[in-house]
């Protein structure tokens, strides 16, 4: 039996919603957080993210909230799916909570315009040396949500953490496959060429073998 984890996804954009769906399909208790209470109500009522991921139904078991405290308390793993330019503001709010046992997974790309910091650097500059993994790859939210085979990398300075993040989202025969890499490389966050070639398997091979 696959181990499950309580997953909170902070950010109701297309990528955050797609990753919440991946987590739910894995069998994880999953909660999706929206910064906007009114839109959180729409998501609950319509069971579809019409603004950012139209045409993809949201299962009734996928929990949705606009309470940041509820989202942080809920998740053992907290996925930071907040656009880089808005990440700093949310991280300052997270400092109010006990984060000592949380694993953070940063999925934002790019750099902060004013500081030129990468998402992982923003996280560590505000939250300190938290348990942090970077998840990135050539991926599209709508493809992942529609179960089109996609390969991403979970990178961290801590090999065990990278493995935990990958395991939390991996499911045999699921379209998204996360592989671990013991190196939180710059390229993973800037969406440039990475520092290593972690796998030579094609998406078709992954789909067929489940590995």
């Amino acid at each position: 039996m696959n181990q499950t984890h309580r997953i909170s996804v902070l950010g109701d954009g297309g990528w955050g919603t797609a990753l919440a769906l991946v987590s739910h399909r894995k069998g994880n208790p999953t909660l999706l957080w929206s910064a906007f209470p009114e839109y959180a109500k729409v998501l609950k009522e319509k069971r579809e993210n019409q603004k950012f991921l139209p045409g993809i139904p949201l299962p009734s078991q996928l929990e949705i909230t606009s309470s940041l405290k509820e989202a942080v308390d809920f998740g053992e793993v907290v996925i930071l799916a907040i656009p880089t330019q808005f990440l700093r503001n949310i991280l300052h709010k997270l400092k109010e909570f006990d984060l000592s046992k949380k694993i953070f997974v940063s999925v934002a790309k790019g750099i902060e315009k004013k500081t030129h910091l990468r998402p992982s650097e923003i996280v560590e500059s505000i939250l300190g040396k938290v348990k942090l993994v970077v998840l990135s790859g050539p991926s599209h939210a709508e493809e992942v949500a529609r179960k089109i085979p996609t390969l991403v990398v979970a990178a961290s300075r801590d090999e065990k953490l990278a493995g935990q993040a990958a395991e939390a989202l991996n499911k045999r025969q699921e379209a998204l496959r996360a592989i671990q890499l013991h190196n939180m490389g710059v390229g993973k966050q800037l969406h440039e060429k990475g520092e290593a070639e972690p796998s030579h398997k094609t998406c078709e091979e992954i789909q067929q073998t489940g590995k």
Side-chain angles (χ1 to χ4, degrees):
M1 179 180 294
N2 289 328
Q3 183 179 0
T4 61
H5 306 264
R6 294 175 66 86
I7 308 288
S8 290
V9 181
L10 304 188
D12 63 353
W15 191 216
T17 304
L19 289 174
L21 287 168
V22 169
S23 174
H24 170 74
R25 291 167 184 165
K26 166 74 192 297
N28 296 314
T30 304
L31 183 149
L32 177 64
W33 174 80
S34 172
F36 307 99
E38 289 303 316
Y39 195 58
K41 291 180 182 178
V42 172
L43 293 174
K44 288 180 181 180
E45 293 171 0
K46 301 292 185 182
R47 284 288 148 182
E48 179 184 351
N49 193 335
Q50 296 177 336
K51 186 182 295 185
F52 300 114
L53 200 62
I56 307 294
L58 303 180
S60 59
Q61 300 92 336
L62 175 61
E63 298 189 47
I64 299 169
T65 187
S66 60
S67 167
L68 191 57
K69 183 180 187 305
E70 180 183 355
V72 174
D73 288 347
F74 180 93
E76 303 166 56
V77 178
V78 180
I79 296 178
L80 299 171
I82 301 157
T84 301
Q85 307 312 319
F86 304 103
L87 180 58
R88 180 177 295 274
N89 181 50
I90 301 302
L91 292 174
H92 278 296
K93 295 179 180 180
L94 292 183
K95 291 176 68 176
E96 302 174 11
F97 311 116
D98 180 8
L99 308 176
S100 59
K101 296 182 179 179
K102 307 294 182 182
I103 296 175
F104 289 92
V105 180
S106 173
V107 301
K109 296 184 178 72
I111 59 175
E112 191 175 39
K113 292 179 181 178
K114 291 183 178 180
T115 65
H116 297 166
L117 293 177
R118 302 188 304 274
S120 65
E121 292 176 315
I122 301 171
V123 172
E124 292 183 337
S125 70
I126 296 172
L127 301 183
K129 295 296 183 181
V130 292
K131 299 173 183 177
L132 181 61
V133 178
V134 171
L135 185 75
S136 189
S139 54
H140 294 276
E142 66 279 4
E143 293 183 354
V144 171
R146 295 183 186 280
K147 302 183 181 181
I148 295 174
T150 302
L151 183 67
V152 296
V153 170
S156 177
R157 296 189 183 94
D158 185 324
E159 185 175 7
K160 183 178 179 181
L161 283 182
Q164 288 177 322
E167 194 277 334
L169 295 174
N170 280 341
K171 179 182 178 183
R172 192 173 180 83
Q173 303 305 329
E174 179 57 76
L176 182 75
R177 296 293 292 174
I179 59 173
Q180 71 185 78
L181 179 67
H182 180 34
N183 185 342
M184 197 155 66
V186 174
K188 307 300 176 298
Q189 298 171 76
L190 299 185
H191 208 189
E192 299 173 347
K193 183 177 179 181
E195 298 180 0
E197 292 294 337
S199 174
H200 296 287
K201 289 186 177 181
T202 65
C203 288
E204 287 78 9
E205 290 173 324
I206 292 168
Q207 190 176 40
Q208 289 170 6
T209 64
K211 299 180 180 179

